[in-house]
Amino acid sequence: MNEHIPAPSLKRLPIYYRRLKDAVKEKITYVSSDELGQSAGVPAAQVRKDLSYLEEKGRPGVGYNAESLAKHLEGFLGLTEDKKAALIGVGNLGKALVLYPGFARYGLSIVALFDNDPAKTGHTVAGLEILPVKALMNAVPQMDINIGLITAPAQAAQEIANAMVESGIKAIWNFAPTRLEVPDDVFVKNEDLASELAVLSHYVKRDR
Amino acid sequence: MNEHIPAPSLKRLPIYYRRLKDAVKEKITYVSSDELGQSAGVPAAQVRKDLSYLEEKGRPGVGYNAESLAKHLEGFLGLTEDKKAALIGVGNLGKALVLYPGFARYGLSIVALFDNDPAKTGHTVAGLEILPVKALMNAVPQMDINIGLITAPAQAAQEIANAMVESGIKAIWNFAPTRLEVPDDVFVKNEDLASELAVLSHYVKRDR
DNA sequence: TAGATTGTTAATCGATTAACAATC
DNA sequence: TAGATTGTTAATCGATTAACAATC
């Protein structure tokens, strides 16, 4: 209830959210924990446990009100707040994330691009001019940026993280395959495609 | 030892691997579990436990032989085998993954692109012609493809998965935000950026 | 030998799941 | 009322961590 929600539960909430939005679109009023569980591949009990960390309650014998729970999740997950992000490292992955329309649905907009390569600065991607990293310091307060995306090579990542921290960013989404040293009050979410690939890779190898 | 390695352990192995390769580059012969742990943000005991699922042993009082353990991990993770992938859904995310050079390092090469949008088929990305999805059936055995990447919209994902299964693909990396129904012998790794974003988002929201 | 670090066992921690009274 | 499904507690499961004898 008032406990801290575990990360695994938190990650399932957007899945439930999508299922609820689908239900709303189909004019279905109530969705059961069993149905929500199927969308995420977990048992109904898990869903109920996950939702027990929220304030919203279901109706015994009926299920959860799709519209109301979806709204609640929007608030809880912060989907409606406009989260503004700066992206540093405009390589292929960086470009893709800028052009990826999927983030907007979850309230994230990338509003500024940075790169230390002079061959890149000045150019434009998705209508945004690529700025030198030293411009970050002013841009963060000015544009009200609260998230930093690192899509630069591993060697450059720590230096970029330092610049982000210095500029006042408190949440970093790190796509570079390296561990970042940051102060305790800065949150880092590492996204390591190689780690994920390892699981697939190991499976494929075993398979023959 | 002969137990099945847990997924969390498996995901840490590529991180240790990178640290070992760095050590090799710097001509360091031995690396301790403590050093490996620092690169992954876990305690030394965790590293030793993770490595206990492999055959390779460390030397008490000394550490792990960097070159030898790196080699072993390459084999265990299947990094050296050329894993060939077909990518279906050549939108922004799809394009990015095709152009992303990071995969090659882990033995994955995307060798064929598919899309059902006739406006896209025939065009070329990274030297690969985009083919209609119905061409998958022949391409998989012909090109020895063993992994399928789905970067299409959610609505199209299940149909694409069906085509992949029918063509003989046994491992699917699904970037579409939906759960796929597949036979038991097909492995699906879901990659849900919205789930990951939820963790960041929730943190940012709390933060103010 | 003394110091360092391993491999492994046992203890701990935290997440998942089963079970069921409460309730719509 | 009968049937369905919730919220929550307790049991289970599995991963992490501490501890330490073994060993280089």
Side-chain angles (χ1 to χ4, degrees), chain A residues 13-33:
Chain A
L13 297 183
I15 305 177
Y16 304 152
Y17 173 71
R18 286 193 296 256
R19 180 72 185 72
L20 291 164
K21 291 294 272 186
D22 285 350
V24 169
K25 206 182 296 168
E26 291 167 40
K27 308 246 185 265
I28 294 164
T29 314
Y30 287 97
V31 179
S32 70
S33 57

Side-chain angles (χ1 to χ4, degrees), chain B:
Chain B
M1 193 76 85
N2 242 352
E3 284 172 82
H4 189 60
I5 183 167
S9 294
L10 192 48
K11 286 190 192 178
R12 282 187 292 265
L13 297 184
I15 305 178
Y16 304 152
Y17 173 72
R18 287 194 294 257
R19 181 71 186 73
L20 292 164
K21 291 293 272 187
D22 285 350
V24 169
K25 206 183 295 170
E26 292 168 39
K27 309 249 185 259
I28 294 164
T29 314
Y30 288 96
V31 179
S32 70
S33 57
D34 188 61
E35 291 169 295
L36 291 173
Q38 280 179 14
S39 66
V42 296
Q46 180 72 78
V47 174
R48 295 200 297 278
K49 185 78 182 176
D50 289 345
L51 296 180
S52 75
Y53 296 103
L54 312 180
E55 297 303 320
E56 183 95 3
K57 295 272 169 267
R59 283 179 61 186
V62 180
Y64 298 85
N65 183 296
E67 195 156 2
S68 159
L69 182 53
K71 276 267 178 323
H72 189 82
L73 282 172
E74 281 174 10
F76 186 82
L77 293 171
L79 301 184
T80 47
E81 296 175 52
D82 192 29
K83 293 174 287 291
K84 293 182 186 160
L87 181 147
I88 306 195
V90 192
N92 286 315
L93 184 59
K95 258 183 220 158
L97 296 184
V98 178
L99 295 167
Y100 187 52
F103 289 146
R105 186 174 176 188
Y106 298 94
L108 182 76
S109 42
I110 296 171
V111 298
L113 306 179
F114 301 87
D115 203 300
N116 259 341
D117 180 352
K120 285 179 182 164
T121 53
H123 289 241
T124 293
V125 176
L128 298 170
E129 189 188 339
I130 301 172
L131 306 171
V133 176
K134 68 177 187 317
L136 184 71
M137 201 62 198
N138 286 324
V140 167
Q142 225 168 67
M143 306 182 79
D144 194 23
I145 289 168
N146 40 37
I147 295 182
L149 272 64
I150 301 182
T151 47
Q155 316 88 272
Q158 182 60 57
E159 199 187 338
I160 290 172
N162 296 346
M164 284 182 172
V165 168
E166 206 194 344
S167 75
I169 285 175
K170 298 290 186 204
I172 296 177
W173 204 358
N174 177 34
F175 289 80
T178 192
R179 190 159 194 83
L180 303 173
E181 296 284 339
V182 297
D184 280 351
D185 66 332
V186 175
F187 178 82
V188 176
K189 177 90 189 64
N190 288 301
E191 202 70 42
D192 190 340
L193 286 180
S195 282
E196 304 303 323
L197 178 55
V199 180
L200 259 180
S201 200
H202 185 249
Y203 176 87
V204 170
K205 189 192 64 107
R206 263 193 337 186
D207 199 42
R208 320 183 272 176

